[in-house]
Each structure stands twice: as C-alpha cells, then as structure tokens.
Amino acid sequence: MAGGVSVPQLAAAVSEAGGLGFLAAGYKTADGMYQEIKQLRGATSRPFGINLFMPQPEYADPAAVGVYEHQLAGEASWYRTELGDPDSGRDDGYDAKLAVLLDNPVPVVSFHFGCPTRDVLESLSRAGTLTLVTATTAEEAQAVQWAGADAVIVQGVEAGGHQGTHRDNPETDGSGIGLLSLIAQVRETVQIPVVAAGGIMRGSQIAAVLAAGADAAQLGTAFLATPESGANALHKQALTNPLFVRTELTRAFSGRPARGLVNRFMREHGPYAPAAYPEVHHLTAPVRKAAAKAGDPQAMALWAGQGHRLARELPAGQLVEVLAAELAAARTALSARQGRGSAR
Ligand SMILES: Cc1cc2nc3c(=O)[nH]c(=O)nc-3n(C[C@H](O)[C@H](O)[C@H](O)COP(=O)(O)O)c2cc1C
C-alpha cells in the first residue's frame, strides 16, 4: 500500500506473524525503497515482498489535464497551496528500482498497473525472487502467465486503492469484476497460483476465496487501521466513521480508477476527472497533503475497499493470528456441514 501506509513496521509485523508482509515502492525513489528494505531486514528475517508500479507508456491528453488543472484551482487556493506539476515523472523510477532489486534480491516482488516483460521476470527469477503481477480480468491473468510470472494477484472491483488494470481504458469504466466471478474466470484460464484480493476482511472470506479456487488471499484495507500502518490518523478513523457511508471508484485524485471513501473532493471532481495517470496524481498531491495538514479528510484520498466498516484496530501481528483462527473455524464449520450433508 503506497502513500506511506505499508511501512517497514507493518510489513515486519505481518511477516513475523506468519503472513507475507509487503513494502510499497510506489511513489518512492529507488534509494528510499532500498533504505526501507534495509530497515525491514533489520526487523525480521522472515520472507517479505516489494511492490512496484509499472511505468505508464501512454501520455494523457495535455488539453484534458489543463482543463482539470483549471477546475482544481479553487481547491488549491482554499487549502492555501499550489497545484503540483503534472509532468513530474511517469515511470516511478522503475528501472532504478529493478536494478536495486537485482543487486539486492528480495524474496518476492509484485507489480501493479501492468505486466513486466519476460526478460524482467526471468532476471528476477534468476536472482531467486518470486514474481507476482496484478490482474483485473481473465485476459490480463493470461498475459501474466504468458510473461512468466510465478503467480497472479486477482484483484476484484471491491478492492481498496487503485485497480491494477494493465491499460487504463475509460470505455470500460464501471465494468469491474467482482472477486468471486473473477477467481472462477481466471481459474479456468491460467494454471499458475492465484492470490485473491478485494474486500477481504475476515477469515471466513479467506476460506471462501480458497474454496473458490484461490491459493492465497491478499488484504489491504484490513491492515490500514492497525497501529503499525503508516496511514494518516484521519484516514484510519474514517474507515469506521458513519459519516463515510460508501466507497466508489474515482479518477479524481490520480487520474486512474481507485476505490476510496466518498468525500467532498471525490463527489465534486470525480464526475469529470480525466483519464490521466500519473499527471493527475502529481497535480493533486499538494492539495491532498495540505488537507491532511489542516485535519480535513474531505480532500484526502481515503483509499478503502468495500469491506472498510469491518476494519479492526488490532496490532497487525494479532490481526494475522485472528484471521488465521477465523479461517480455521470457517473450514471446520464447512467440513462439519459437508459431513452432515453426506450423512443425510
Ligand atoms: C491505501 C491503499 C493503498 C494501496 N496501494 C497499492 C500499491 O501501492 N500497490 C498495489 O499493488 N496495490 C495497492 N493497493 C491495492 C491492494 O494491493 C489490494 O488490491 C487491495 O487492498 C485489496 O482490497 P482490500 O483493500 O479491500 O483488502 C492499495 C490499497 C489500499 C487500500
């Protein structure tokens, strides 16, 4: 979880408890990522993962970005800041980060917003790193398998944060696939292991995705509220605050569809925000920062999955243990039901 959420303390606590903690490399420099890897290695000797953003090959229409900039001028003056430079970089330091990860291999690397080339996946594999790539459709999962990744992360439309769609296409907005349908479609398309993500907050849901054909589950929002998460306190509080009644996919903050709690900024700017990632991300960054500084969640990107109301403020290690116990209980209950069924 990029944006300061998946910090070394959180990843270490998850890995120490038997989960696979992840560090977010997104929005960081290659050196920033490397420093966090060193911190994490100091905190745990257990396996962990690093998540990278894929570079975005297609430039957005500068006119559309210009119009949005104009529309956001009032936000900047309200929060007494300037809008960011939309052209502040579009590859997220991908090559430099890969170079660090090849020189200092880590156990797992996952990719969001696209699929790396076969060469990249093979070189990580030769370095002893397992590779995972996010997919939001069966076609994307097939591309991930063809490219040679070790596993695919199947991200349902319920998921908090950005959809990891490979090519952003405004014409397919609103056609996101629910996790259970997606697992079934992907399972019939690819043979590599499937990690299920999106809206999972309880062990019983992990049991459900495993029963549906997934090999593992990935949880984001459930860990946002833990004390180890680096999420802003306002973001953590908003997850269970009844003022924030629902989530929606929006391009308002970044220019790419991402799921967050509906707030004023999303309501006002979401309807006309252009498909322009990462230009819009750079543009809105100072406004989001200034809103957080002012203690105003109404212009912050409150990323959250559809299950946000079920967030628990447990320490991350304890949350992993509770989830494991719930999973075990759900599996016992299921086999007892199956036993009763076959006895009838
Ligand atoms: C605050 C937040 C930040 C996220 N940042 C990233 C990211 O940097 N890279 C990534 O691959 N996925 C990111 N995601 C998506 C998660 O990997 C995952 O798909 C999602 O959290 C699963 O849905 P859930 O939040 O309902 O559990 C983020 C999700 C959240 C909630």
Side-chain angles (χ1 to χ4, degrees), residues 294-338:
D296 178 3
Q298 295 299 336
M300 293 166 60
L302 303 172
W303 301 142
Q306 287 181 340
H308 64 94
R309 286 279 180 86
L310 298 174
R312 298 177 276 205
E313 280 177 47
L314 294 173
Q318 213 175 314
L319 180 55
V320 172
E321 285 162 16
V322 169
L323 289 164
E326 289 172 349
L327 168 61
R331 290 186 136 177
T332 308
L334 187 64
S335 45
R337 274 204 296 276
Q338 281 165 345

Side-chain angles (χ1 to χ4, degrees), residues 1-3 5-6 24-27 51-53 110-113 134 153-156 158-164 196-201 218-224 231 235 259 301-308:
M1 289 185 281
V5 179
S6 290
Y27 311 134
N51 175 255
L52 296 190
F53 287 170
S110 70
F111 297 88
H112 209 54
F113 297 148
T134 303
I153 300 169
V154 164
Q155 188 194 36
E158 304 92 331
H162 282 96
Q163 287 281 297
I200 302 173
M201 305 295 286
Q218 184 190 60
L219 286 70
T221 302
F223 286 90
L224 264 180
H235 190 173
R259 184 172 296 283
L302 303 172
W303 301 142
Q306 287 181 340
H308 64 94

Side-chain angles (χ1 to χ4, degrees), residues 138-139 141-142 145 154 180-192 194 212-213:
E139 292 74 20
Q142 208 162 30
Q145 175 167 284
V154 164
L180 279 184
S181 307
L182 191 55
I183 295 171
Q185 292 173 35
V186 168
R187 210 49 302 173
E188 294 198 2
T189 315
V190 306
Q191 288 75 48
I192 54 175
V194 166

Side-chain angles (χ1 to χ4, degrees), residues 26-27 51-61 86-95 97 111-116 133-134 140 162-170 251 254-257 274-282:
Y27 311 134
N51 175 255
L52 296 190
F53 287 170
M54 291 300 297
Q56 301 299 299
E58 283 161 33
Y59 282 81
D61 174 5
D87 301 317
S88 314
R90 53 186 309 103
D91 68 356
D92 202 48
Y94 180 70
D95 290 337
K97 286 174 187 168
F111 297 88
H112 209 54
F113 297 148
C115 188
V133 183
T134 303
E140 288 177 354
H162 282 96
Q163 287 281 297
T165 317
H166 292 190
R167 261 194 78 207
D168 185 20
N169 178 4
R251 292 175 189 276
S254 73
R256 240 187 188 268
Y277 176 88
E279 287 84 353
V280 171
H281 164 79
H282 295 312

